Amino acid sequence: MRVPLSWLAEFVDVIPGSTAEDVHAALVSVGLEEEDIHTFEISGPVVVGQVLEFVDEPQSNGKTIRWCQVRVAPEGQTAADGGADVRGIVCGAHNFLVNDKVVVSLPGSVLPGPFPISARKTYGHVSDGMIASARELGLGDEHDGILRLATLGLDPEVGTDAVGLLGLDDTAVEVNVTPDRGYAFSIRGIAREYSHATGATFRDPAATPELLRGLPTRSTAKEFHVSIDDEAPIRGRVGASVFVTRVVRDVDGSSPTPAWMIARLKLAGIRSISLVVDITNYVMLELGQPIHGYDLDALAGGITVRRARRGESLVTLDGQERSLNGEDLLITDDSGAIGLAGVMGGASTEIGRATRNVLVEAANFDPVSIARTARRHKLPSEASKRFERGVDPQVAVAAAARVVQLLEQLSGGHADDLGSVHNAATLPPAIDLPGDYVTRLIGADFSDQEIRSALAEIGGEITETSSGLAVVPPSWRPDLTDKSDLAEEVARIIGYDRIPSVLPVAPPGRGLTRPQQLRRAVVQTLAANGLTEVLSYPFVTEHANDTFGSSDAGPVPAVRLANPLDAGAPFLRTSLLPGLIEVARRNLSRGLTDLAIYESGLVFLPKAGVSYGRETVPEGAALPDDEVLADLNAGIPPQPRHLAALFLGSAIPKQPGQPAIAAGIADAIAAARQAGAAVGLHIDVVQSSHTALHPGRAAALVVHTASGDQQVGFAGELLPALAEESDLPRVVGVLELDLDAVIALAPVEIEASAISGYPAATQDLSLVVPVETAAGDILKAVVDGAGELLEDARHVDDYRGSGVGDGQKSLTFALRFRAADRTLTAAEASDAKLAGAARAGELFGATVRE
């Protein structure tokens, strides 16, 4: 919210000499957040000038300029910059006449940009200043020509300071308004907060005698027909609780908006459009009540507020035809929809320069309804921003009266007795505040008088009860709903500095749960081994889920979002790898060619044929019961936690004496085993296949259990075509583990093996087997056959070539033997090795290579 200081000072006594920084500091002390300070960034001599004469001079470039003589000071007097009273100025605009009064920037001035002005030679003349346009002064975006002061209804004396005349010497402070404090989206609300902060006198602009005197009485008012016909209220709340209309006739739609109003609107972040529209925006900023104006003569009958019907559409003020939803709240007349309530009006009743009679609407709409409509149609507006946060239902009458007052003053119109007031808003219920509650909750001592004074200051109506106080919150504070809110207000108004600084004591507990500890151990292990943790978006394409979500090609069940951020990726992920691939692609495009990254996160694995989600959303302001919670949980698909990693480029970069070693499947398998070891689990590798992985370079990651082998993930290298499609190198190693399954299989207690003091005996074993035989199966057979003397066995070589028959391969295993109670002889080690070879020969026909 941007707040021009001159506007703020109309409703609260700003401390004399206060700077924008001082106002910011005061507002911060009552909980608002400072954002920025805005000015028109104009300095130096900028004055009112009068065009005495000009000559049109065509140029060789096809452009025609005007060589003007402009009076910038009363005749015979010195100008503001110390120069002559008449200046020669070159101007490229042609929208002015002799005797027009304009804004002249004299040498030494600086316009927004910054754009310093100096006397300079151009088009054969020395231009001694510049005649300014509205855009060059920062008053608007239009650049049709120079600003003629007559179009603003101004006829000042030549030489007058134009900065003060046009309100360009004002400053605005900008504060961030949190969603619970919608009342601060107004000058009225900010003035009240400044009063809380400084003790300055606050004058409520909604309660001025002039406005109250201007309201028609019941005896003189003529009813304008308004009907609230909400047949499908959202969460039981009728879409419109307040609807006020007033009529102003004989409005001059071509009347200029006064300069002071344009300047204030500009500082507040709103551009000037036309007088009538500017007045509605001005009152919205002043009182926080969004206002809409209709061309009364374009209306067909009265107004009905209702929900949209099937197939209905509306052309809004931005010229877009919008298909309406049954939840959209509409403003309609006898012809149909004429506006999206609280969001944007319709084009059919738009106010234009030819408008003579205006119907003013000031209403209060349901925040949830307005928020949904604004998001559904992607139409955020200043009005919807306020309605979403809650508008004071009691300010509508005063706001409509303020619009009428300004239309009478500035457009020549006169108020008509035709109008209406529908007010079904209810007062907020009283909140019980126990006597000692504020002190107990805040942790600081507050006297009863301080508490009553603070609550009265924010507008609360206070009644003493046997247990403490009963407080009715003010109508502009819908966020005050329970006693803790009132306690926070007391602390805010009296001052946060009253709260002592006390280091909280951590409550007793057992710390992290076992699954949390093991998850942390896994991710820390991977990070310690050189991998980098990343986070990716959980939203993916259907193709990505089908590719990575199952080892077999084909569609997999997936959760589709009803309102995705990206229409091209509307599904929740069934695998972490699509996100890692996108992270790798982005980093590779930025020159990072060697990557080892991992992610731990949830995947979403719905069961085929099961419908998830709910048609209706539980009310946010009420605690759901057990049945609702069970229903919500049933609508959530299984969400196991997975762990995935990706490797590309060089695992070891090239360096003196060391060639580069490429990353690939070996790194992926090693990372999987590191993750298993972090929780005390041994993960084995079994040859497998996966639709996203290179044939022959894919492995299932399994854990041997008493009930059999259980697959907990997969590893391998991406299909080269898939890697190329993702702009990645040909060789990309990947792995994905079901981390929840790994943790569930992890032993509760890890038993350390005894360290033998006897030496080991090492031998190699080379076996010839058919090429289709998996090395892992041979290794398992060797281990089983070698017996308990075998301490470690690793597959170290796969040879295919001369000396080995066609269709066969030679697999070499490095074996390490050790006995716990003696030194092994070479013969004992050889016997154990041959026993392992015999077992492999028995199961797979393996023969020892000579």
Side-chain angles (χ1 to χ4, degrees):
M1 175 68 188
R2 296 184 181 185
V3 184
L5 295 186
S6 65
W7 204 350
L8 179 69
E10 290 184 5
F11 308 129
V12 66
D13 294 334
V14 176
I15 298 173
S18 294
T19 64
E21 289 79 7
D22 296 332
V23 174
H24 256 158
L27 296 176
V28 167
S29 71
V30 287
L32 294 170
E33 299 176 13
E34 64 176 291
E35 288 287 326
D36 204 351
I37 294 174
H38 302 272
T39 66
F40 283 99
E41 300 177 347
I42 295 177
S43 62
V46 180
V47 300
V48 173
Q50 184 171 28
V51 179
L52 302 179
E53 62 179 7
F54 59 79
V55 177
D56 290 332
E57 296 183 355
Q59 303 298 310
S60 58
N61 60 5
K63 181 178 180 180
T64 298
I65 61 97
R66 283 184 172 180
W67 172 237
C68 309
Q69 298 299 312
V70 184
R71 183 177 298 282
V72 295
E75 186 174 357
Q77 295 185 18
T78 301
D81 65 342
D85 58 339
V86 177
R87 303 295 177 90
I89 299 176
V90 173
C91 185
H94 301 86
N95 66 319
F96 57 93
L97 304 173
V98 171
N99 292 326
D100 274 349
K101 289 184 178 178
V102 295
V103 176
V104 179
S105 300
L106 295 174
S109 63
V110 179
L111 298 185
F115 181 25
I117 305 299
S118 61
R120 63 189 184 94
K121 186 172 183 179
T122 180
Y123 294 109
H125 301 282
V126 174
S127 184
D128 200 11
M130 186 182 79
I131 306 176
S133 68
R135 186 170 72 178
E136 289 163 341
L137 293 170
L139 282 174
D141 299 326
E142 294 77 13
H143 197 51
D144 298 333
I146 61 98
L147 175 63
R148 299 169 58 232
L149 294 177
T151 62
L152 300 179
L154 297 175
D155 185 22
E157 182 181 349
V158 171
T160 300
D161 176 23
V163 174
L165 176 72
L166 299 176
L168 304 180
D169 53 353
D170 204 355
T171 299
V173 295
E174 183 177 1
V175 294
N176 178 42
V177 177
T178 53
D180 61 327
R181 300 176 73 179
Y183 68 94
F185 267 121
S186 65
I187 306 297
R188 179 194 187 208
I190 297 297
R192 182 179 279 111
E193 290 299 296
Y194 184 83
S195 173
H196 295 335
T198 63
T201 302
F202 169 68
R203 296 174 291 277
D204 190 350
T208 59
E210 293 80 5
L211 287 183
L212 300 178
R213 282 197 298 269
L215 296 175
T217 64
R218 285 186 175 272
S219 60
T220 61
K222 293 179 290 184
E223 186 76 13
F224 180 85
H225 177 73
V226 173
S227 173
I228 310 299
D229 186 19
D230 187 359
E231 296 179 349
I234 297 176
R235 298 182 182 176
R237 291 196 287 263
V238 176
S241 58
V242 177
F243 204 97
V244 177
T245 61
R246 294 288 302 276
V247 170
V248 181
R249 299 191 183 275
D250 298 327
V251 169
D252 183 359
S254 63
S255 297
T257 301
W260 58 267
M261 182 176 287
I262 294 175
R264 284 184 173 181
L265 289 174
K266 179 66 177 179
L267 273 180
I270 294 180
R271 66 185 180 91
S272 174
I273 298 174
S274 66
L275 176 60
V276 178
V277 175
D278 290 350
I279 287 175
T280 61
N281 286 332
Y282 186 85
V283 173
M284 176 186 68
L285 292 172
E286 186 170 84
L287 300 179
Q289 169 66 60
I291 301 288
H292 189 67
Y294 302 88
D295 187 330
L296 181 63
D297 299 325
L299 281 173
I303 281 179
T304 298
V305 182
R306 60 170 173 83
R307 300 289 170 179
R309 295 166 182 158
R310 183 185 298 274
E312 206 165 8
S313 63
L314 170 68
V315 178
T316 46
L317 288 172
D318 57 2
Q320 300 294 315
E321 182 173 1
R322 303 183 184 276
S323 298
L324 302 177
N325 181 280
E327 278 194 351
D328 291 335
L329 190 67
L330 301 181
I331 308 298
T332 68
D333 64 4
D334 292 349
S335 67
I338 58 173
L340 279 172
V343 179
M344 184 174 286
S348 62
T349 56
E350 181 179 8
I351 292 175
R353 296 179 66 84
T355 298
R356 298 292 296 166
N357 301 309
V358 175
L359 176 72
V360 177
E361 167 211 300
N364 194 282
F365 298 115
D366 174 49
V368 173
S369 180
I370 302 307
R372 290 188 182 182
T373 295
R375 285 159 178 72
R376 184 180 300 114
H377 295 283
K378 297 180 174 61
L379 261 181
S381 64
E382 290 293 330
S384 66
K385 181 167 64 177
R386 286 164 173 79
F387 282 126
E388 289 173 20
R389 290 161 172 80
V391 172
D392 182 0
Q394 304 305 323
V395 81
V397 171
R402 176 63 166 151
V403 174
V404 171
Q405 180 187 64
L406 290 173
L407 285 174
E408 287 183 313
Q409 293 174 357
L410 303 177
S411 73
H414 64 271
D416 194 297
D417 288 336
L418 183 63
S420 61
V421 176
H422 168 84
N423 190 344
T426 58
L427 292 175
I431 301 171
D432 290 328
L433 184 65
D436 61 342
Y437 181 77
V438 174
T439 296
R440 286 191 291 107
L441 181 67
I442 303 301
D445 291 329
F446 298 103
S447 68
D448 292 343
Q449 180 57 38
E450 285 179 317
I451 293 173
R452 283 193 291 268
S453 175
L455 295 176
E457 188 174 336
I458 66 170
E461 296 181 7
I462 304 170
T463 305
E464 290 195 17
T465 66
S466 58
S467 60
L469 302 175
V471 182
V472 178
S475 59
W476 58 85
R477 294 297 303 272
D479 58 306
L480 302 181
T481 58
D482 59 35
K483 58 186 178 181
S484 60
D485 295 331
L486 298 180
E488 291 172 6
E489 287 299 296
V490 171
R492 186 175 71 90
I493 297 301
I494 294 178
Y496 293 125
D497 55 341
R498 284 281 295 275
I499 303 174
S501 298
V502 178
L503 187 65
V505 178
R510 294 185 295 272
L512 299 177
T513 64
R514 180 173 180 272
Q516 289 172 332
Q517 291 173 339
L518 296 183
R519 285 200 297 267
R520 183 169 293 186
V522 168
V523 297
Q524 289 178 344
T525 296
L526 293 184
N529 280 276
L531 280 74
T532 301
E533 186 173 14
V534 298
L535 292 175
S536 63
Y537 287 110
F539 313 118
V540 298
T541 64
E542 184 176 22
H543 174 69
N545 273 340
D546 291 344
T547 301
F548 292 96
S550 172
S551 60
D552 302 322
V556 298
V559 177
R560 186 186 186 105
L561 298 174
N563 187 24
L565 292 175
D566 180 359
F571 291 92
L572 290 176
R573 64 190 179 191
T574 58
S575 166
L576 299 179
L577 286 176
L580 281 185
I581 289 173
E582 177 59 26
V583 171
R585 184 197 65 78
R586 179 178 291 273
N587 281 273
L588 190 63
S589 70
R590 284 153 176 75
L592 300 178
T593 57
D594 302 327
L595 292 175
I597 57 177
Y598 73 98
E599 178 176 8
S600 170
L602 300 179
V603 297
F604 306 86
L605 305 178
K607 298 176 182 178
V610 178
S611 177
Y612 294 97
R614 282 176 53 101
E615 292 296 326
T616 58
V617 178
E619 187 172 348
L623 180 68
D625 56 27
D626 292 341
E627 183 179 349
V628 172
L629 289 174
D631 189 26
L632 286 172
N633 288 328
I636 300 173
Q639 301 176 51
R641 183 174 295 274
H642 278 202
L643 176 74
L646 180 147
F647 305 84
L648 60 80
S650 297
I652 298 178
K654 181 180 179 181
Q655 50 194 298
Q658 170 68 60
I661 298 179
I665 185 174
D667 299 280
I669 292 173
R673 285 176 167 160
Q674 290 164 0
V679 299
L681 204 61
H682 178 71
I683 293 180
D684 272 334
V685 178
V686 176
Q687 188 170 349
S688 181
S689 63
H690 193 288
T691 184
L693 301 183
H694 193 302
R697 303 190 70 78
L701 302 174
V702 300
V703 175
H704 302 304
T705 68
S707 58
D709 291 349
Q710 180 173 334
Q711 183 172 347
V712 294
F714 63 88
E717 292 180 0
L718 283 183
L719 276 172
L722 187 58
E724 182 180 2
E725 178 185 310
S726 303
D727 301 319
L728 299 180
R730 182 177 180 83
V731 177
V732 179
V734 296
L735 77 93
E736 183 155 5
L737 284 171
D738 183 340
L739 190 54
D740 283 351
V742 169
I743 290 173
L745 293 171
V748 176
E749 294 183 357
I750 300 175
E751 295 183 6
S753 300
I755 300 176
S756 174
Y758 296 96
T762 59
Q763 294 192 21
D764 288 345
L765 172 64
S766 295
L767 298 175
V768 178
V769 297
V771 292
E772 64 271 13
T773 305
D777 292 338
I778 300 298
L779 178 60
K780 187 174 184 298
V782 170
V783 171
D784 290 342
E788 62 182 14
L789 293 180
L790 181 63
E791 184 178 75
D792 183 64
R794 291 183 296 113
H795 177 215
V796 296
D797 189 41
D798 183 329
Y799 173 75
R800 308 176 194 199
S802 60
V804 177
D806 293 337
Q808 293 185 311
K809 60 183 178 181
S810 173
L811 301 177
T812 301
F813 303 93
L815 309 178
R816 185 172 72 237
F817 300 94
R818 193 192 310 264
D821 57 351
R822 68 188 187 280
T823 300
L824 286 179
T825 65
E828 288 178 305
S830 296
D831 289 344
K833 177 182 74 171
L834 293 176
R839 181 60 174 167
E842 178 186 339
L843 295 178
F844 302 102
T847 59
V848 178
R849 183 183 175 192
E850 300 296 336

mmCIF file of all heavy atoms in Angstrom, residues 279-307:
data_model
loop_
_atom_site.group_PDB
_atom_site.id
_atom_site.type_symbol
_atom_site.label_atom_id
_atom_site.label_comp_id
_atom_site.label_asym_id
_atom_site.label_seq_id
_atom_site.Cartn_x
_atom_site.Cartn_y
_atom_site.Cartn_z
ATOM 1 N N ILE A 279 -12.333 9.165 -9.538
ATOM 2 C CA ILE A 279 -12.991 9.415 -8.249
ATOM 3 C C ILE A 279 -13.283 8.101 -7.537
ATOM 4 O O ILE A 279 -13.068 7.973 -6.323
ATOM 5 C CB ILE A 279 -14.273 10.232 -8.462
ATOM 6 C CG1 ILE A 279 -13.913 11.687 -8.802
ATOM 7 C CG2 ILE A 279 -15.162 10.185 -7.220
ATOM 8 C CD1 ILE A 279 -15.100 12.559 -9.161
ATOM 9 N N THR A 280 -13.757 7.090 -8.277
ATOM 10 C CA THR A 280 -14.032 5.796 -7.632
ATOM 11 C C THR A 280 -12.749 5.177 -7.093
ATOM 12 O O THR A 280 -12.740 4.596 -5.997
ATOM 13 C CB THR A 280 -14.715 4.833 -8.607
ATOM 14 O OG1 THR A 280 -13.862 4.581 -9.722
ATOM 15 C CG2 THR A 280 -16.036 5.406 -9.108
ATOM 16 N N ASN A 281 -11.658 5.295 -7.848
ATOM 17 C CA ASN A 281 -10.377 4.772 -7.360
ATOM 18 C C ASN A 281 -9.879 5.569 -6.157
ATOM 19 O O ASN A 281 -9.300 5.005 -5.216
ATOM 20 C CB ASN A 281 -9.340 4.793 -8.477
ATOM 21 C CG ASN A 281 -9.564 3.703 -9.508
ATOM 22 O OD1 ASN A 281 -10.120 2.648 -9.201
ATOM 23 N ND2 ASN A 281 -9.134 3.945 -10.735
ATOM 24 N N TYR A 282 -10.085 6.864 -6.204
ATOM 25 C CA TYR A 282 -9.628 7.728 -5.108
ATOM 26 C C TYR A 282 -10.331 7.363 -3.805
ATOM 27 O O TYR A 282 -9.698 7.239 -2.745
ATOM 28 C CB TYR A 282 -9.917 9.182 -5.481
ATOM 29 C CG TYR A 282 -9.360 10.199 -4.509
ATOM 30 C CD1 TYR A 282 -8.045 10.651 -4.619
ATOM 31 C CD2 TYR A 282 -10.151 10.727 -3.485
ATOM 32 C CE1 TYR A 282 -7.528 11.585 -3.730
ATOM 33 C CE2 TYR A 282 -9.654 11.669 -2.594
ATOM 34 C CZ TYR A 282 -8.333 12.093 -2.724
ATOM 35 O OH TYR A 282 -7.837 13.013 -1.844
ATOM 36 N N VAL A 283 -11.639 7.154 -3.884
ATOM 37 C CA VAL A 283 -12.398 6.808 -2.673
ATOM 38 C C VAL A 283 -12.007 5.418 -2.189
ATOM 39 O O VAL A 283 -11.939 5.166 -0.972
ATOM 40 C CB VAL A 283 -13.908 6.920 -2.948
ATOM 41 C CG1 VAL A 283 -14.707 6.395 -1.757
ATOM 42 C CG2 VAL A 283 -14.285 8.360 -3.248
ATOM 43 N N MET A 284 -11.746 4.493 -3.105
ATOM 44 C CA MET A 284 -11.300 3.160 -2.703
ATOM 45 C C MET A 284 -10.002 3.256 -1.906
ATOM 46 O O MET A 284 -9.851 2.606 -0.859
ATOM 47 C CB MET A 284 -11.082 2.272 -3.927
ATOM 48 C CG MET A 284 -10.514 0.896 -3.609
ATOM 49 S SD MET A 284 -10.107 -0.056 -5.080
ATOM 50 C CE MET A 284 -8.718 0.898 -5.715
ATOM 51 N N LEU A 285 -9.055 4.051 -2.377
ATOM 52 C CA LEU A 285 -7.795 4.208 -1.658
ATOM 53 C C LEU A 285 -8.009 4.939 -0.330
ATOM 54 O O LEU A 285 -7.362 4.625 0.670
ATOM 55 C CB LEU A 285 -6.799 4.980 -2.517
ATOM 56 C CG LEU A 285 -6.283 4.272 -3.772
ATOM 57 C CD1 LEU A 285 -5.461 5.232 -4.616
ATOM 58 C CD2 LEU A 285 -5.444 3.061 -3.400
ATOM 59 N N GLU A 286 -8.915 5.892 -0.308
ATOM 60 C CA GLU A 286 -9.125 6.703 0.883
ATOM 61 C C GLU A 286 -9.807 5.911 1.997
ATOM 62 O O GLU A 286 -9.376 5.938 3.150
ATOM 63 C CB GLU A 286 -9.967 7.922 0.524
ATOM 64 C CG GLU A 286 -10.135 8.912 1.661
ATOM 65 C CD GLU A 286 -10.773 10.190 1.177
ATOM 66 O OE1 GLU A 286 -12.031 10.239 1.084
ATOM 67 O OE2 GLU A 286 -10.036 11.139 0.871
ATOM 68 N N LEU A 287 -10.855 5.157 1.655
ATOM 69 C CA LEU A 287 -11.668 4.483 2.668
ATOM 70 C C LEU A 287 -11.510 2.972 2.670
ATOM 71 O O LEU A 287 -12.025 2.301 3.570
ATOM 72 C CB LEU A 287 -13.144 4.837 2.472
ATOM 73 C CG LEU A 287 -13.490 6.324 2.582
ATOM 74 C CD1 LEU A 287 -14.979 6.541 2.349
ATOM 75 C CD2 LEU A 287 -13.090 6.875 3.946
ATOM 76 N N GLY A 288 -10.846 2.418 1.669
ATOM 77 C CA GLY A 288 -10.681 0.967 1.606
ATOM 78 C C GLY A 288 -11.882 0.240 1.038
ATOM 79 O O GLY A 288 -11.914 -0.995 1.032
ATOM 80 N N GLN A 289 -12.890 0.971 0.554
ATOM 81 C CA GLN A 289 -14.096 0.370 0.010
ATOM 82 C C GLN A 289 -14.044 0.417 -1.522
ATOM 83 O O GLN A 289 -14.109 1.485 -2.117
ATOM 84 C CB GLN A 289 -15.336 1.130 0.489
ATOM 85 C CG GLN A 289 -16.632 0.744 -0.218
ATOM 86 C CD GLN A 289 -17.079 -0.662 0.068
ATOM 87 O OE1 GLN A 289 -17.318 -1.027 1.214
ATOM 88 N NE2 GLN A 289 -17.205 -1.473 -0.973
ATOM 89 N N PRO A 290 -13.896 -0.725 -2.185
ATOM 90 C CA PRO A 290 -13.947 -0.705 -3.655
ATOM 91 C C PRO A 290 -15.293 -0.152 -4.142
ATOM 92 O O PRO A 290 -16.354 -0.474 -3.591
ATOM 93 C CB PRO A 290 -13.778 -2.174 -4.037
ATOM 94 C CG PRO A 290 -13.042 -2.777 -2.881
ATOM 95 C CD PRO A 290 -13.573 -2.066 -1.671
ATOM 96 N N ILE A 291 -15.219 0.654 -5.170
ATOM 97 C CA ILE A 291 -16.393 1.312 -5.733
ATOM 98 C C ILE A 291 -16.486 0.950 -7.212
ATOM 99 O O ILE A 291 -15.465 0.864 -7.904
ATOM 100 C CB ILE A 291 -16.294 2.852 -5.603
ATOM 101 C CG1 ILE A 291 -16.149 3.253 -4.131
ATOM 102 C CG2 ILE A 291 -17.489 3.529 -6.252
ATOM 103 C CD1 ILE A 291 -17.394 3.085 -3.304
ATOM 104 N N HIS A 292 -17.699 0.740 -7.692
ATOM 105 C CA HIS A 292 -17.876 0.572 -9.138
ATOM 106 C C HIS A 292 -18.955 1.537 -9.615
ATOM 107 O O HIS A 292 -19.978 1.738 -8.943
ATOM 108 C CB HIS A 292 -18.275 -0.850 -9.497
ATOM 109 C CG HIS A 292 -18.258 -1.107 -10.978
ATOM 110 N ND1 HIS A 292 -17.089 -1.114 -11.716
ATOM 111 C CD2 HIS A 292 -19.259 -1.320 -11.864
ATOM 112 C CE1 HIS A 292 -17.374 -1.347 -12.978
ATOM 113 N NE2 HIS A 292 -18.687 -1.464 -13.106
ATOM 114 N N GLY A 293 -18.703 2.150 -10.768
ATOM 115 C CA GLY A 293 -19.667 3.067 -11.355
ATOM 116 C C GLY A 293 -20.246 2.494 -12.641
ATOM 117 O O GLY A 293 -19.531 1.889 -13.438
ATOM 118 N N TYR A 294 -21.548 2.663 -12.816
ATOM 119 C CA TYR A 294 -22.228 2.197 -14.019
ATOM 120 C C TYR A 294 -22.797 3.401 -14.770
ATOM 121 O O TYR A 294 -23.234 4.391 -14.152
ATOM 122 C CB TYR A 294 -23.394 1.263 -13.673
ATOM 123 C CG TYR A 294 -23.022 0.048 -12.878
ATOM 124 C CD1 TYR A 294 -22.985 0.100 -11.481
ATOM 125 C CD2 TYR A 294 -22.725 -1.152 -13.500
ATOM 126 C CE1 TYR A 294 -22.655 -1.021 -10.734
ATOM 127 C CE2 TYR A 294 -22.397 -2.289 -12.759
ATOM 128 C CZ TYR A 294 -22.364 -2.211 -11.372
ATOM 129 O OH TYR A 294 -22.032 -3.324 -10.645
ATOM 130 N N ASP A 295 -22.826 3.295 -16.081
ATOM 131 C CA ASP A 295 -23.567 4.263 -16.884
ATOM 132 C C ASP A 295 -25.040 3.935 -16.681
ATOM 133 O O ASP A 295 -25.557 2.921 -17.177
ATOM 134 C CB ASP A 295 -23.180 4.135 -18.357
ATOM 135 C CG ASP A 295 -23.802 5.231 -19.220
ATOM 136 O OD1 ASP A 295 -24.908 5.705 -18.872
ATOM 137 O OD2 ASP A 295 -23.206 5.607 -20.246
ATOM 138 N N LEU A 296 -25.736 4.773 -15.912
ATOM 139 C CA LEU A 296 -27.120 4.474 -15.536
ATOM 140 C C LEU A 296 -28.009 4.278 -16.754
ATOM 141 O O LEU A 296 -28.906 3.421 -16.749
ATOM 142 C CB LEU A 296 -27.664 5.601 -14.644
ATOM 143 C CG LEU A 296 -29.095 5.441 -14.134
ATOM 144 C CD1 LEU A 296 -29.212 4.210 -13.239
ATOM 145 C CD2 LEU A 296 -29.529 6.686 -13.366
ATOM 146 N N ASP A 297 -27.752 5.062 -17.804
ATOM 147 C CA ASP A 297 -28.601 4.967 -18.993
ATOM 148 C C ASP A 297 -28.377 3.676 -19.764
ATOM 149 O O ASP A 297 -29.195 3.319 -20.616
ATOM 150 C CB ASP A 297 -28.340 6.169 -19.906
ATOM 151 C CG ASP A 297 -28.679 7.489 -19.211
ATOM 152 O OD1 ASP A 297 -29.652 7.498 -18.428
ATOM 153 O OD2 ASP A 297 -27.966 8.485 -19.424
ATOM 154 N N ALA A 298 -27.275 2.976 -19.498
ATOM 155 C CA ALA A 298 -27.005 1.705 -20.178
ATOM 156 C C ALA A 298 -27.566 0.521 -19.414
ATOM 157 O O ALA A 298 -27.566 -0.599 -19.929
ATOM 158 C CB ALA A 298 -25.497 1.527 -20.381
ATOM 159 N N LEU A 299 -28.047 0.755 -18.186
ATOM 160 C CA LEU A 299 -28.616 -0.325 -17.394
ATOM 161 C C LEU A 299 -30.018 -0.660 -17.872
ATOM 162 O O LEU A 299 -30.789 0.222 -18.266
ATOM 163 C CB LEU A 299 -28.679 0.066 -15.919
ATOM 164 C CG LEU A 299 -27.390 -0.035 -15.104
ATOM 165 C CD1 LEU A 299 -27.611 0.562 -13.725
ATOM 166 C CD2 LEU A 299 -26.934 -1.471 -14.986
ATOM 167 N N ALA A 300 -30.354 -1.943 -17.835
ATOM 168 C CA ALA A 300 -31.696 -2.401 -18.191
ATOM 169 C C ALA A 300 -32.375 -2.885 -16.915
ATOM 170 O O ALA A 300 -32.144 -4.002 -16.452
ATOM 171 C CB ALA A 300 -31.628 -3.525 -19.227
ATOM 172 N N GLY A 301 -33.183 -2.020 -16.310
ATOM 173 C CA GLY A 301 -33.862 -2.405 -15.081
ATOM 174 C C GLY A 301 -32.969 -2.293 -13.877
ATOM 175 O O GLY A 301 -31.961 -1.577 -13.871
ATOM 176 N N GLY A 302 -33.356 -3.019 -12.794
ATOM 177 C CA GLY A 302 -32.591 -2.989 -11.562
ATOM 178 C C GLY A 302 -31.415 -3.946 -11.603
ATOM 179 O O GLY A 302 -31.045 -4.483 -12.653
ATOM 180 N N ILE A 303 -30.835 -4.162 -10.441
ATOM 181 C CA ILE A 303 -29.639 -5.009 -10.325
ATOM 182 C C ILE A 303 -29.978 -6.247 -9.489
ATOM 183 O O ILE A 303 -30.645 -6.149 -8.453
ATOM 184 C CB ILE A 303 -28.482 -4.230 -9.679
ATOM 185 C CG1 ILE A 303 -27.833 -3.307 -10.727
ATOM 186 C CG2 ILE A 303 -27.430 -5.168 -9.085
ATOM 187 C CD1 ILE A 303 -26.701 -2.473 -10.192
ATOM 188 N N THR A 304 -29.483 -7.391 -9.964
ATOM 189 C CA THR A 304 -29.598 -8.641 -9.219
ATOM 190 C C THR A 304 -28.195 -9.225 -9.058
ATOM 191 O O THR A 304 -27.441 -9.302 -10.024
ATOM 192 C CB THR A 304 -30.494 -9.651 -9.952
ATOM 193 O OG1 THR A 304 -31.814 -9.108 -10.080
ATOM 194 C CG2 THR A 304 -30.557 -10.970 -9.188
ATOM 195 N N VAL A 305 -27.872 -9.601 -7.837
ATOM 196 C CA VAL A 305 -26.598 -10.252 -7.561
ATOM 197 C C VAL A 305 -26.873 -11.754 -7.460
ATOM 198 O O VAL A 305 -27.640 -12.192 -6.600
ATOM 199 C CB VAL A 305 -25.971 -9.742 -6.246
ATOM 200 C CG1 VAL A 305 -24.617 -10.393 -6.010
ATOM 201 C CG2 VAL A 305 -25.828 -8.220 -6.290
ATOM 202 N N ARG A 306 -26.240 -12.546 -8.323
ATOM 203 C CA ARG A 306 -26.494 -13.987 -8.364
ATOM 204 C C ARG A 306 -25.252 -14.712 -8.864
ATOM 205 O O ARG A 306 -24.277 -14.097 -9.304
ATOM 206 C CB ARG A 306 -27.682 -14.300 -9.282
ATOM 207 C CG ARG A 306 -27.485 -13.861 -10.736
ATOM 208 C CD ARG A 306 -28.573 -14.405 -11.629
ATOM 209 N NE ARG A 306 -28.504 -13.877 -12.986
ATOM 210 C CZ ARG A 306 -27.708 -14.346 -13.948
ATOM 211 N NH1 ARG A 306 -26.852 -15.338 -13.679
ATOM 212 N NH2 ARG A 306 -27.709 -13.825 -15.158
ATOM 213 N N ARG A 307 -25.331 -16.046 -8.819
ATOM 214 C CA ARG A 307 -24.257 -16.882 -9.365
ATOM 215 C C ARG A 307 -24.447 -17.051 -10.871
ATOM 216 O O ARG A 307 -25.562 -16.938 -11.395
ATOM 217 C CB ARG A 307 -24.246 -18.258 -8.699
ATOM 218 C CG ARG A 307 -24.025 -18.226 -7.191
ATOM 219 C CD ARG A 307 -22.619 -17.855 -6.812
ATOM 220 N NE ARG A 307 -22.515 -17.608 -5.362
ATOM 221 C CZ ARG A 307 -21.386 -17.280 -4.757
ATOM 222 N NH1 ARG A 307 -20.265 -17.170 -5.452
ATOM 223 N NH2 ARG A 307 -21.372 -17.058 -3.458
#
